[in-house]
Amino acid sequence: MRISLWALGFALATLTPGLASAQTAPVLFDSAGLKTMAADAKRYPLFAAEFERTKKSVDKAMRAGIVVPVPKDPGGGFTHEQHKRNYMALYGAGLLYRITGNKAYADFARTMLLEYARLYPTLGPHPAKANEAAGRLFWQSLNDSVWLVYGVQGYDAIRDTLSPADRETIDTNVFRKMAEFLSVGNAKTFNLIHNHATWAAAGVGMTGYVLHDPELVARALKGTDKSGKAGFLAQVDQLFSPDGYYTEGPYYQRYALQPFVVFADAIQANQPELKIWERHGGVLPKAIRSTIQLTYDGYFFPLNDAMPDKSLKTDELYQAVAIGYAATRDPSFLSIAKWQGRTILTPAGLAVARDLAAGKAQPFAYASQLFRDGPNGDQGALAVLRSSAEDDAEVLVAKNSAMGMGHGHFDKLGWILYDGGNAIVTDYGSARFLNIESKDGGRYLKENESWAKQTVAHNTLVVNETSNFGGKWKVGEDLAPKQLFFSGDDALKASTAEMAGAWPGVTFRRTLAQLPLGKGSPVVLDLLRVTGGAPATYDLPLHYAGHITDVGFPLQSNVAARPVLGTANGYQHIWVDATGTPTADNATLTWINGGRFYTYRMLPPAGSTVILGESGANDPRFNLRREPMLIQRVTGAKDTVFVSLLEPHGSYDAAAETTVASASQIKSLRHVRTADGDVIVIEPVKGAPVIVAVADDVATGKQHTAQVDGRTIRWTGHIARIDAVGAK
Amino acid sequence: MRISLWALGFALATLTPGLASAQTAPVLFDSAGLKTMAADAKRYPLFAAEFERTKKSVDKAMRAGIVVPVPKDPGGGFTHEQHKRNYMALYGAGLLYRITGNKAYADFARTMLLEYARLYPTLGPHPAKANEAAGRLFWQSLNDSVWLVYGVQGYDAIRDTLSPADRETIDTNVFRKMAEFLSVGNAKTFNLIHNHATWAAAGVGMTGYVLHDPELVARALKGTDKSGKAGFLAQVDQLFSPDGYYTEGPYYQRYALQPFVVFADAIQANQPELKIWERHGGVLPKAIRSTIQLTYDGYFFPLNDAMPDKSLKTDELYQAVAIGYAATRDPSFLSIAKWQGRTILTPAGLAVARDLAAGKAQPFAYASQLFRDGPNGDQGALAVLRSSAEDDAEVLVAKNSAMGMGHGHFDKLGWILYDGGNAIVTDYGSARFLNIESKDGGRYLKENESWAKQTVAHNTLVVNETSNFGGKWKVGEDLAPKQLFFSGDDALKASTAEMAGAWPGVTFRRTLAQLPLGKGSPVVLDLLRVTGGAPATYDLPLHYAGHITDVGFPLQSNVAARPVLGTANGYQHIWVDATGTPTADNATLTWINGGRFYTYRMLPPAGSTVILGESGANDPRFNLRREPMLIQRVTGAKDTVFVSLLEPHGSYDAAAETTVASASQIKSLRHVRTADGDVIVIEPVKGAPVIVAVADDVATGKQHTAQVDGRTIRWTGHIARIDAVGAK
């Protein structure tokens, strides 16, 4: 293996102490890149804006003067926020010094770091420490790691401006001490395969490069015992699935991504022989792309604990997109940066701004894709079906992924749908008002447990009004769904998955498919078969967004007093507006959303009822959003099958005062159980019927036949669409 | 008076029948303008797009062929929609012929009009006629008038292409017959001072110009008896207030505007000596500007019966803005056209597109303004306070206008508020789903009477759970509020109005003021004094938009069964979430909307309670939107005063994950009744208190003094802001 420049620099340095520059010059950003950045800082709009933004905030911090308080407050408190401000100021000041050459920035960083050099060695465990591993500057060590990740980058940029004495002081009393504390001093956390450990590894490893300390680098890459069982490389191999999916879901994937890309960038600069971007099948670039794929119109699918207002416009993604572009030169990252309207103040950010200005951007290829879950990709999957690559395409997300640890929801085989730029079939996300003091200090609310995580708050099967795994996520960690089939082909986009063990003795299988009929967005076919051990109550909720314009069946309405549906597992939060017992002829609900109509058409199993409800009961603090839902309920059956169709149709134009096709364009929906499968017949108002045949067997080559309406249907493989003669 | 070209043309023509061109050339659009339009049709983007749009729809109509069915269906039915399509096609074909010179368009119009010439004379009253005056092509004559307005413009454009025989046939059997029917044949409607009559006058008058028939023109301008008691000129003088406000409110002002501007444009072209644009103090240009002023971010204030999704992007406003620009050359109309992204396919539209392309647009001067109501401006007013001219300014609208006829709501002295681009204090608008078949065919729903029009559905006083005027709009027609004071000055923006007779023996007076405190949007002070004849229950609802983040006072919550507040006058539609009895120290409600927080702070009168509720009870068809409200309730008092403060504060940024000032920045609110007025003391958390003094006397020059906190306050005039020493 060839010796990296860094290792060489280290070797030389140790041999010849006189050779200072190799010991002090920036190592996290290559010097050529830094020179170009300095020369062209004002040249490209996106970067120039970033420069101004950073300059403004750092200049403000400099006017405010050096404030390095003794740690005292928990998250949100003054000392907490001040130490956060400090690491951002260090990072900014370092880069601004490199860009402007203005020594004032370097001096500011130096003075602040000398303060930290005085303070840090005196610190023990943080006074406000909670259950989490205690930090020293912060109540949890995770924040200390983040301090180090940002701080050491700022330090690297100004280290060669220091006198040997100052450098020695800061090396020893700030960075080496922090790196020691966060690695061997905190070995339990450091050696986890968990994103908290990734932040620690990134901070410790980058410190190793800056201090030219191979021991720190080795710990960061391979764990405190350097066996490779832990550390960054093990995290790269195990925290993402082979498709670059992070098990906690899109919202936390965004957060977890940052230390991976930042440290990978540093590793590439110092130990290119590790080929970090290619490791484990190039999982890191894949992870950046999959994070972007897991969005609609730029907003992350709000699965598991997630704030629904979180988009690609976040620091983590500014870093990931810029570093990802520098590493791959994939021009589709440029169109994402354009949408973000931001980049980062590094050579990578400059490259993004320059190439964007040069018109090199290509559209990001949003596509139907299966994201397998688990280190080996065998713990279920997230199945994403897109009708097109457009921002307003119809996108169906089937949540067939694993539990996803403590932030995971009990939503096995659930789904959500977007269309025309709007969320149509929804996921509540988390019950939380981030950073809003009056809402439990911005932490997760108790309604996150009592509603948001519960199965009934999602679009999937509920058995006997209880949640998956009895509501115990650790149980769920061992029981992932099986993704049995996926096709993203334009011919027929479909996903089939199966879940066993979410409830004792209950197995359920679900096929979701996008079927283009005529011009508009595809209709969505939902076939859900439940096989139970004993008679039970099966609920299938649909959480939808929009205003009801039509209900096909008679309702018993609670118009003068509104009761609550249940007492636990989320049911205590559901107001019951009305109930009904529809038939196959009239089981429809139509609503309007964003100038388009949506009809949900059901084939109610025998003895089933339909409940129309709304979230918000038993919520005295007004912590919940009030959102409508429909629940299909079958009582007393052992096995059952739910067949449903969601049909986008028509348009409403307020400006032109025109309304088209506000009524469903489908005449009938039928389901026939055959010898070895299910056949669904969809009859449009205009045009010939469409038949969808779904074989129990998911094998690809197999032939299947069935009798439907006295006619023999033949198809090959798990699922097929058979347009009757005369159909388009 | 000088002879107009048109009158001259007519005179000559009658003297010398040989002189055809004066008899056949277009008269509604000047020939120079038509030539330029033809020459430059593709030259300016906005007009080129309009050309393509019209060409597409007319070409489609031509492919479909001539379809002139015998009238049969009511609104929405086939014959109704087909005759609508026909007049749009006629209008488009005529203009396209003038632009392209393509004879095919003229022939299409000719053929269709010859069909109408065969059909129309055979028609009696429409078979589907209802209470409204029956039309012949349509179920109500209003639609026949609209047909004539569009149809005659199309005909004018192609009339000189016809053989004398065809021209004679169409003149006589289509246009003259229609004009006769809509004027003398329908005199009762035609002679009303009402916008239906304006459509008729426009159609008849323009037909008079095209057929060179001074009799028709005279009827149109002065009524069937030509006395001037009725007709267009009387409508111009009486239907708008001196400030160009139309009494039905912004939504219907938009609709009423079109026949005024279209006919005025034709009058200007044919009888410039009438100086129609200058008539009655130039009320027509004023009416166009006021229609635009009555919007927020382009959307009309949804007062009275109004669809809240209606914006300046409507045919009526494309016409009004283009014609208004042609008449005034006011460059601020260009910025409106730019926002609309549309114009009209006439010389006026071309001028808009050309000057917009030439960069002549100026910002439209949105401003604080009083819009007096009634022909003489003495029937109340709409008071609009704007913190700035920006689209996201804080805009307060005080609804102190008259009843506004049958589409008026019972909302005397109500108000709404916009801020940061969002509606914050809301008006429900009308309960209607326009053109959505399943919602009572798109007509006004019964909830429009039972909820949307009722007083409790608005932000104003309710006495004994009943509505203004016992819910009888005809009673309201005779009882308008008095606008006592208005100031749009930056120093202090405020409105004071008084209402007597909305309930027997009850008079109430309300002052609403915008007070800038510190950097953000102004706080809104609301002082409402009620003087009653007998002990009563006084409710003051606040309908707000957003999610509750904090409630300052203890609540008794209905968490497990949700009761209804009342039984009639809108109260039967209110769910009660919780009630409380706040004190002056804790009477606050805080919500978040669009990244900003809003705190509503009350000074609860003695013995008052607060109700937190939501619309949607007794609504089995899901016809109502579910929107939150707060109601201050005082029971058993004869007189009372409500003092409230609405405070925008702080910010929430989901991308940056930062939240600032989510708690109210005001420490206390106090109210002191003095000898001849009210003094309100607002004490911010930071900075010195602000005092607002409101004298009962609204006279401007008067001196007032009061003792507050042992200090003597002096001010001049009705209302004054007194910043304590040391305040900014």
Side-chain angles (χ1 to χ4, degrees), chain A residues 251 254 307 309-311 313-316 318 428 433-439 544 547-551 555 557-564 572 575 577-578 592 597 612-614 616-626 652 654-659 662, chain B residues 251 254 307 309-311 313-316 318 428 433-439 544 547-551 555 557-564 572 575 577-578 592 597 612-614 616-626 652 654-659 662:
Chain A
Y251 179 80
R254 161 197 57 85
M307 301 298 298
D309 55 11
K310 184 62 75 178
S311 77
K313 295 179 182 179
T314 69
D315 284 334
E316 299 90 352
Y318 303 143
Y428 192 91
F433 291 79
L434 194 63
N435 299 327
I436 297 181
E437 192 58 34
S438 57
K439 292 293 195 184
Y544 61 92
H547 192 121
I548 292 177
T549 59
D550 202 11
V551 181
L555 290 174
S557 300
N558 302 315
V559 293
R562 212 171 171 207
V564 175
Q572 72 275 28
W575 292 118
D577 285 309
I592 182 170
F597 298 89
L612 297 182
E614 189 181 56
N618 284 293
D619 177 28
R621 306 273 328 275
F622 299 91
N623 283 344
L624 293 175
R625 295 191 307 272
R626 295 170 174 187
Y652 167 81
E657 292 196 359
T658 58
T659 300
S662 59
Chain B
Y251 178 81
R254 160 197 57 85
M307 302 296 300
D309 55 12
K310 183 62 75 177
S311 77
K313 295 178 182 178
T314 70
D315 285 333
E316 298 89 352
Y318 303 144
Y428 192 91
F433 290 79
L434 194 63
N435 299 328
I436 296 181
E437 192 58 34
S438 57
K439 292 292 195 183
Y544 61 93
H547 193 120
I548 293 177
T549 58
D550 202 10
V551 182
L555 291 174
S557 300
N558 302 315
V559 293
R562 211 171 173 208
V564 175
Q572 72 275 28
W575 291 118
D577 285 310
I592 182 170
F597 298 89
L612 297 183
E614 187 180 55
N618 284 293
D619 177 29
R621 305 274 328 275
F622 298 92
N623 283 343
L624 293 175
R625 298 191 306 272
R626 294 170 174 187
Y652 167 81
E657 290 195 359
T658 56
T659 301
S662 60

Side-chain angles (χ1 to χ4, degrees), chain A residues 697-708:
Chain A
D697 191 331
V698 298
T700 43
K702 286 264 186 67
Q703 298 279 340
H704 305 276
T705 66
Q707 295 296 321
V708 177

Side-chain angles (χ1 to χ4, degrees), chain B residues 677-692:
Chain B
D678 297 277
V679 173
I680 293 95
V681 183
I682 303 163
E683 195 173 351
V685 170
K686 290 177 194 152
V690 171
I691 293 171
V692 179

Side-chain angles (χ1 to χ4, degrees), chain A residues 134-349:
Chain A
R136 296 204 155 161
L137 292 173
F138 299 93
W139 66 287
Q140 61 172 346
S141 64
L142 172 61
N143 299 88
D144 287 57
S145 301
V146 176
W147 193 104
L148 186 55
V149 166
Y150 280 96
V152 76
Q153 292 182 75
Y155 182 48
D156 179 51
I158 62 113
R159 189 163 171 268
D160 65 355
T161 68
L162 301 178
S163 71
D166 286 346
R167 188 159 52 240
E168 177 56 28
T169 306
I170 295 167
D171 281 2
T172 310
N173 294 332
V174 181
F175 291 98
R176 185 165 281 104
K177 276 209 161 49
M178 272 196 204
E180 291 294 336
F181 165 68
L182 290 169
S183 55
V184 291
N186 220 329
K188 185 157 166 301
T189 304
F190 189 79
N191 291 329
L192 290 172
I193 303 299
H194 183 284
N195 77 73
H196 287 197
T198 310
W199 280 100
V204 170
M206 295 198 296
T207 301
Y209 290 131
V210 172
L211 304 191
H212 298 264
D213 180 338
E215 168 63 20
L216 289 179
V217 173
R219 286 182 204 160
L221 295 175
K222 301 185 165 184
T224 51
D225 68 1
K226 287 166 268 171
S227 68
K229 283 197 221 63
F232 188 74
L233 299 179
Q235 290 158 11
V236 170
D237 298 346
Q238 295 174 50
L239 274 177
F240 291 102
S241 81
D243 298 322
Y245 177 73
Y246 178 70
T247 190
E248 288 189 284
Y251 179 80
Y252 277 101
Q253 172 149 355
R254 161 197 57 85
Y255 183 72
L257 196 58
Q258 183 170 358
F260 277 104
V261 296
V262 169
F263 190 26
D265 193 35
I267 292 169
Q268 183 62 29
N270 291 279
Q271 295 180 274
E273 68 278 8
L274 292 183
K275 297 189 164 44
I276 191 67
W277 290 111
E278 295 157 46
R279 190 179 176 92
H280 197 56
V283 73
L284 289 180
K286 273 186 196 165
I288 301 173
R289 292 192 179 91
S290 69
T291 307
I292 297 168
Q293 287 283 356
L294 300 177
T295 59
Y296 186 76
D297 199 16
Y299 286 77
F300 292 102
F301 303 148
L303 304 170
N304 294 335
D305 282 345
M307 301 298 298
D309 55 11
K310 184 62 75 178
S311 77
L312 292 168
K313 295 179 182 179
T314 69
D315 284 334
E316 299 90 352
L317 268 294
Y318 303 143
Q319 296 268 351
V321 167
I323 292 170
Y325 179 68
T328 64
R329 299 290 153 164
D330 172 350
S332 73
F333 282 132
L334 297 175
S335 64
I336 301 299
K338 186 180 179 187
W339 187 88
Q340 294 174 308
R342 293 277 304 267
T343 187
I344 57 176
L345 202 64
T346 69

Side-chain angles (χ1 to χ4, degrees), chain B residues 616-664:
Chain B
N618 284 293
D619 177 29
R621 305 274 328 275
F622 298 92
N623 283 343
L624 293 175
R625 298 191 306 272
R626 294 170 174 187
E627 299 180 344
M629 73 194 75
L630 173 153
I631 300 176
Q632 295 188 65
R633 168 167 288 188
V634 183
T635 309
K638 204 155 77 61
D639 305 334
T640 194
V641 56
F642 293 95
V643 179
S644 323
L645 202 65
L646 183 64
E647 172 204 1
H649 56 89
S651 71
Y652 167 81
D653 181 336
E657 290 195 359
T658 56
T659 301
V660 179
S662 60
S664 169

Side-chain angles (χ1 to χ4, degrees), chain B residues 4-209:
Chain B
S4 71
L5 293 174
W6 166 74
L8 188 65
F10 170 77
L12 286 169
T14 42
L15 298 171
T16 60
L19 181 61
S21 76
Q23 287 292 295
T24 59
V27 299
L28 300 179
F29 308 108
D30 70 285
S31 55
L34 289 172
K35 284 195 186 60
T36 327
M37 181 171 77
D40 294 348
K42 304 233 169 89
R43 193 158 161 194
Y44 312 110
L46 199 64
F47 195 84
E50 213 54 46
F51 173 74
E52 286 308 325
R53 187 177 291 108
T54 309
K55 189 172 183 314
K56 198 168 158 218
S57 71
V58 174
D59 290 355
K60 188 178 169 205
M62 286 167 70
R63 281 194 302 276
I66 306 290
V67 182
V68 180
V70 174
K72 177 172 131 303
D73 305 325
F78 168 73
T79 69
H80 181 93
E81 293 303 319
Q82 181 59 33
H83 287 295
K84 277 171 69 179
R85 278 189 287 273
N86 284 348
Y87 68 62
M88 291 308 297
L90 274 175
Y91 176 78
L95 291 162
L96 288 171
Y97 166 68
R98 280 293 152 186
I99 290 169
T100 63
N102 180 347
K103 195 74 166 41
Y105 290 117
D107 293 340
F108 171 68
R110 169 183 163 279
T111 320
M112 186 192 291
L113 286 168
L114 287 172
E115 276 305 307
Y116 273 100
R118 257 185 290 282
L119 173 71
Y120 193 76
T122 71
L123 300 177
H126 192 283
K129 68 182 183 341
N131 311 343
E132 288 76 3
R136 296 205 153 159
L137 293 174
F138 299 93
W139 67 285
Q140 60 171 345
S141 64
L142 172 61
N143 299 88
D144 287 57
S145 301
V146 176
W147 192 105
L148 187 54
V149 166
Y150 280 96
V152 77
Q153 292 182 75
Y155 182 48
D156 179 52
I158 61 112
R159 190 163 171 270
D160 64 356
T161 68
L162 301 177
S163 71
D166 286 346
R167 187 158 55 239
E168 176 56 29
T169 306
I170 294 167
D171 281 2
T172 310
N173 293 332
V174 181
F175 291 98
R176 185 165 283 103
K177 275 209 164 49
M178 274 197 205
E180 291 295 335
F181 166 67
L182 290 169
S183 55
V184 292
N186 221 330
K188 185 158 165 300
T189 303
F190 189 79
N191 291 328
L192 291 172
I193 303 299
H194 184 283
N195 77 74
H196 287 196
T198 311
W199 280 99
V204 170
M206 296 189 339
T207 301
Y209 290 131

